[in-house]
Amino acid sequence: MTDLLKIYQDLFADYGKWRYYNKLNIDPFLSIENSKEFVLKFIELSGKADGNPLFDNIIKLDDKRIKHIVSTYFLGIYLYHNSDKIKCLADKIVNRYQSQNLDSRIKFSFIWYLICLFHDLGYDIENNQTFKSFDEFIEGKVKYYLKERVGVPLVFEKTYVNYFNYRLNSSNRNLKKPDHGICGGILLFDILNSNLIKKQLQNSKYFSWNKNLINVYRFASWVILSHNIYFTKKGNSNELEYLENNLQDLILSKTNKPKIKLKTHTFLYLFQLVDSIDPIKLVSDYENLKDFEFKCFNDILEIKINNIYLQRKYTERIKDLNWWLIPDLNVTENRIFIPLK
């Protein structure tokens, strides 16, 4: 097994596995300043910074959020290259979008970067803006609305508007705010659509701006929109509130199988997994990633926690995955086994 910081550092040194843009050579693990510059540079090099308010929101994110973005990106890259199952399923999706964009270079790292780098950029809206309803949130803001669900279960298409309104009206003060995932997914699609049309008119010689890129943007935006919509268990204290807000499809009983499946929702499944198991959410500092050892072999991810003070906190967090994402999760005192299937 290898500690997670070394995994990240080794990946960073192996540019061919993650670097979509050749000019991106900033080591994000040296400092928080480097982490922020890494994220900013990635978006700038892609030509997606101009007129993108979500790009501007990066500088407002706290240090922990920036590190989390970097960590989810490299952890997903690690699993992609070390799980045959994930790579095979993800490549089918990548190849489909590549066939639609023959004059572009569509790779796993391109789609994964869109999802990871923009998934938390709605936090400034969540923390600093208020709305009475979902309709008020989108009014006057969205020209190109996110439709034609792709890459996520039907349950999210059916519930995201009600879920947004449920949160706005929740009696729980921690929930009573706009959902950053829904905000981010809808605004990102609108912004990238506008940017694509503008770049086509400019006929840039540096990038290919095929109109079919919008299909990739739609795919990534649906994953971002869905990633923070929470299921609840039948019998939980918030079950009645879910029913009152027409969110019954998000209530899971013991007999329900997970709605998100690796085979049919590969990128969302991978992102939900990575977002949940990222130790940065718990420890904040890259150096502390040395307390976590990872090994992915035969499509089983094994995690070992070497810090006794972190074992209970981390395993308690991971155990929650067994009822809504990974039923076969196996947790011992200091080890976690996650079958990728």
Side-chain angles (χ1 to χ4, degrees), residues 243-258:
L243 290 171
E244 290 172 344
N245 286 274
N246 198 25
L247 297 174
Q248 59 274 3
D249 291 330
L250 294 175
I251 302 171
L252 302 180
S253 68
K254 290 183 178 180
T255 58
N256 290 136
K257 293 182 178 180

Side-chain angles (χ1 to χ4, degrees), residues 109-144:
S109 57
F110 173 70
I111 300 176
W112 190 242
Y113 122 76
L114 283 175
I115 295 168
C116 292
L117 270 65
F118 286 110
H119 85 276
D120 273 349
L121 298 187
Y123 257 107
D124 184 61
I125 299 171
E126 179 171 302
N127 292 328
N128 298 301
Q129 296 188 36
T130 58
F131 307 99
K132 293 180 180 178
S133 66
F134 177 81
D135 289 339
E136 183 182 341
F137 159 63
I138 64 171
E139 185 177 8
K141 298 183 184 69
V142 179
K143 183 177 181 181
Y144 303 102

Side-chain angles (χ1 to χ4, degrees), residues 36 56-62 124 128:
K36 189 167 290 190
D56 298 334
N57 285 353
I58 292 177
I59 60 175
K60 301 175 184 177
L61 291 176
D62 61 37
D124 184 61
N128 298 301

Side-chain angles (χ1 to χ4, degrees), residues 187-219:
L187 294 180
L188 180 65
F189 181 73
D190 178 62
I191 290 160
L192 294 184
N193 204 330
S194 299
N195 187 58
L196 179 61
I197 292 171
K198 182 174 70 175
K199 296 295 186 181
Q200 286 177 318
L201 292 174
Q202 292 174 350
N203 195 23
S204 171
K205 64 181 179 180
Y206 299 107
F207 293 94
S208 170
W209 296 99
N210 188 311
K211 65 179 182 179
N212 288 328
L213 282 172
I214 200 62
N215 296 330
V216 183
Y217 299 159
R218 180 181 295 109
F219 178 84

Side-chain angles (χ1 to χ4, degrees), residues 29-251:
F29 304 109
L30 293 179
S31 67
I32 181 57
E33 290 76 23
N34 273 37
S35 295
K36 189 167 290 190
E37 184 62 23
F38 175 87
V39 175
L40 292 170
K41 193 67 174 178
F42 217 138
I43 301 173
E44 286 175 358
L45 289 170
S46 71
K48 296 175 178 62
D50 296 341
N52 186 343
L54 296 182
F55 173 80
D56 298 334
N57 285 353
I58 292 177
I59 60 175
K60 301 175 184 177
L61 291 176
D62 61 37
D63 293 353
K64 191 171 182 177
R65 285 285 163 194
I66 291 290
K67 291 176 183 177
H68 172 58
I69 289 173
V70 172
S71 185
T72 55
Y73 180 72
F74 280 95
L75 186 48
I77 294 288
Y78 167 74
L79 291 177
Y80 169 76
H81 285 291
N82 287 275
S83 166
D84 292 339
K85 184 73 172 288
I86 289 176
K87 189 175 190 305
C88 178
L89 291 169
D91 282 349
K92 288 180 181 179
I93 297 168
V94 172
N95 292 339
R96 181 172 76 240
Y97 289 122
Q98 179 65 79
S99 69
Q100 297 172 4
N101 297 274
L102 295 178
D103 52 351
S104 300
R105 186 168 55 100
I106 308 297
K107 299 175 65 178
F108 172 82
S109 57
F110 173 70
I111 300 176
W112 190 242
Y113 122 76
L114 283 175
I115 295 168
C116 292
L117 270 65
F118 286 110
H119 85 276
D120 273 349
L121 298 187
Y123 257 107
D124 184 61
I125 299 171
E126 179 171 302
N127 292 328
N128 298 301
Q129 296 188 36
T130 58
F131 307 99
K132 293 180 180 178
S133 66
F134 177 81
D135 289 339
E136 183 182 341
F137 159 63
I138 64 171
E139 185 177 8
K141 298 183 184 69
V142 179
K143 183 177 181 181
Y144 303 102
Y145 193 72
L146 182 60
K147 299 179 181 178
E148 300 172 44
R149 173 184 57 91
V150 60
V152 305
L154 176 61
V155 63
F156 295 123
E157 181 181 29
K158 292 170 62 178
T159 60
Y160 76 88
V161 174
N162 287 339
Y163 188 81
F164 192 92
N165 290 328
Y166 148 73
R167 285 198 48 162
L168 293 181
N169 298 297
S170 176
S171 57
N172 184 333
R173 292 180 62 185
N174 294 324
L175 285 178
K176 193 177 177 63
K177 57 184 72 174
D179 178 76
H180 70 271
I182 297 172
C183 292
I186 287 175
L187 294 180
L188 180 65
F189 181 73
D190 178 62
I191 290 160
L192 294 184
N193 204 330
S194 299
N195 187 58
L196 179 61
I197 292 171
K198 182 174 70 175
K199 296 295 186 181
Q200 286 177 318
L201 292 174
Q202 292 174 350
N203 195 23
S204 171
K205 64 181 179 180
Y206 299 107
F207 293 94
S208 170
W209 296 99
N210 188 311
K211 65 179 182 179
N212 288 328
L213 282 172
I214 200 62
N215 296 330
V216 183
Y217 299 159
R218 180 181 295 109
F219 178 84
S221 297
W222 268 108
V223 172
I224 292 171
L225 178 147
S226 304
H227 89 273
N228 200 53
I229 297 176
Y230 281 83
F231 296 99
T232 192
K233 286 182 182 179
K234 190 171 182 61
N236 274 9
S237 58
N238 61 350
E239 180 186 359
L240 179 59
E241 204 168 5
Y242 268 52
L243 290 171
E244 290 172 344
N245 286 274
N246 198 25
L247 297 174
Q248 59 274 3
D249 291 330
L250 294 175
I251 302 171

